[in-house]
Amino acid sequence: MAGLPKLYTVDEVATLTHAPPKSVLYWIYSGKLDSVRAGRRRLVTEHALRTFLGLDRSDGDAGTR
């Protein structure tokens, strides 16, 4: 199925960011990290995670820091 975004669970985001799952949930519920709800689970798109981490910069100066 082409076109579907990569989705990460809260635990996967915690592993990738080296943060506790409770911190990931805080980021989601405080509005800092976008997520989608699938049943009772919260999932984070790859784009939302890259944006949160500052890896998707639309102003053209990515990597200048």
Side-chain angles (χ1 to χ4, degrees):
M1 296 183 127
L4 292 178
K6 169 74 174 142
L7 298 172
Y8 297 101
T9 64
V10 168
D11 288 334
E12 289 172 328
V13 173
T15 299
L16 290 169
T17 59
H18 302 285
K22 286 189 176 195
S23 292
V24 176
L25 289 172
Y26 172 77
W27 298 334
I28 290 170
Y29 290 117
S30 66
K32 295 178 183 186
L33 177 60
D34 290 333
S35 68
V36 293
R37 190 164 179 112
R40 301 180 91 177
R41 295 176 10 162
R42 285 279 174 185
L43 300 172
V44 177
T45 64
E46 182 176 23
H47 175 72
L49 181 57
R50 290 181 63 84
T51 300
F52 175 76
L53 295 174
L55 300 175
D56 275 350
R57 299 193 52 159
S58 60
D59 55 6
D61 66 350
T64 59
R65 289 198 236 181

